[in-house]
Amino acid sequence: MAQISPSILSADFARLAQEAEAVRGADWLHVDVMDNHFVPNLTLGIPVVESLARATDIPLDCHLMIEQPDRWAPQYVEAGAGSVTFHVEAAAAPVRLAREIRAKGARASMALKPATPIEPYEDLLPELDMLLIMTVEPGFGGQAFLDIMLPKIRRTRELISKHGLSLWLQVDGGVSAGTIEQCAEAGADVFVAGSAVYGAADPAEAVRALRAQAETATAAAPWACAH
C-alpha cells in the first residue's frame, strides 16, 4: 500500500492549519525540521509541531535534519509526532535512539543522505519502522530528483526482504508525477512530495493521483510480485 506524505516545507507557513486541511486524505504530514547546522537552512521546531498536532488529525512525520538528534528526537514524540526520522550521519547512538523513540510511542525512522551507503547499517534495520532514502541533498525544497539513488533504493528493498522485515521504505526529494513510478518500482512505498502536492491547483487530488501512480507501479514491480 503506497503512502503519501505531503511536505509542509512547500506549504504556506502562515496558514499551516489550512494547508494541513488542504491535503485531507494524505497518509502523513511530513514536517521538515532544519537547524542551520546539519543542513544550511532553518525551518521550524517543537512549538510549531505541538500546534500542528493540535490542528490536524493527519499523523505527523517529523524529519529531523538537525545535529544532536539523540537529545532532541524524543521531544518531538512528546510534541505529537507519530513518526520521527533522525539522520544516521548525526546520531551518536542510533540503536538506542530508535528504541527510545519507539518506547515513547512513535515510529522510529532513520534517514540516509545521498552519499551514505545502506550496507553498513544492515544490522540496524530490525530496530526501525521506516528507512528514508534521500533523493536530493537535504536542506532545501524544490530540488531535482537524483535518479542515481534508484539502485540504492533497490538494494535497500532487497535487504528488507532478505530479513523478512515489515519496514517502510520512504523517499524524499524531487518526488512528483514524473518520478514516483520509478521510486515505487525500485522498492519505495512511502513518498514525500512537496511542490508536487502544494504546487497543484487541488492538493488533495494531487495526493490521490500520486498514490494511484505509485500503486500501479508497485503492482507490476518485481519486489512486490515476489511477496
Side-chain angles (χ1 to χ4, degrees):
M1 175 71 177
Q3 300 186 70
I4 306 297
S5 184
S7 172
I8 64 166
L9 190 63
S10 297
D12 180 349
F13 275 27
R15 302 173 59 253
L16 284 183
Q18 295 96 316
E19 295 284 61
E21 182 64 27
V23 294
R24 181 156 297 281
D27 301 281
W28 295 86
L29 202 58
H30 192 81
V31 182
D32 286 308
V33 177
M34 306 182 192
D35 65 357
N36 202 31
H37 294 283
F38 181 69
V39 292
N41 203 351
L42 186 66
T43 54
L44 47 80
I46 289 168
V48 175
V49 171
E50 288 175 338
S51 296
L52 196 54
R54 289 194 298 268
T56 181
D57 56 4
I58 302 174
L60 303 184
D61 167 27
C62 286
H63 176 194
L64 307 185
M65 289 170 270
I66 63 174
E67 293 181 352
Q68 300 183 31
D70 304 74
R71 174 185 175 188
W72 295 108
Q75 296 184 43
Y76 281 87
V77 184
E78 294 166 5
S83 176
V84 177
T85 300
F86 59 88
H87 269 266
V88 71
E89 301 90 354
V95 171
R96 184 177 66 199
L97 179 54
R99 290 180 177 180
E100 187 173 359
I101 291 169
R102 280 176 155 182
K104 285 184 174 290
R107 296 180 63 85
S109 172
M110 188 173 80
L112 278 65
K113 294 167 73 172
T116 304
I118 180 57
E119 287 77 10
Y121 304 105
E122 180 177 352
D123 291 344
L124 273 66
L125 296 181
E127 301 288 339
L128 303 169
D129 298 295
M130 184 168 73
L131 191 93
L132 167 54
I133 301 291
M134 291 298 300
T135 44
V136 297
E137 288 294 339
F140 296 93
Q143 297 183 67
F145 179 79
L146 295 174
D147 58 4
I148 59 168
M149 292 297 103
L150 291 169
K152 182 175 172 181
I153 297 168
R154 289 192 182 93
R155 293 196 306 273
T156 304
R157 174 54 66 186
E158 288 166 4
L159 290 177
I160 292 169
S161 299
K162 171 184 169 183
H163 293 281
L165 301 172
S166 57
L167 182 67
W168 295 352
L169 180 51
Q170 185 180 65
V171 287
D172 180 4
V175 175
S176 67
T179 59
I180 195 167
E181 292 179 19
Q182 299 173 69
C183 295
E185 187 278 331
D189 54 7
V190 184
F191 307 88
V192 177
S195 51
V197 170
Y198 280 111
D202 184 342
E205 177 55 34
V207 167
R208 287 190 289 270
L210 287 168
R211 187 187 291 114
Q213 274 190 278
E215 290 184 346
T216 298
T218 298
W223 69 268
C225 296
H227 285 264

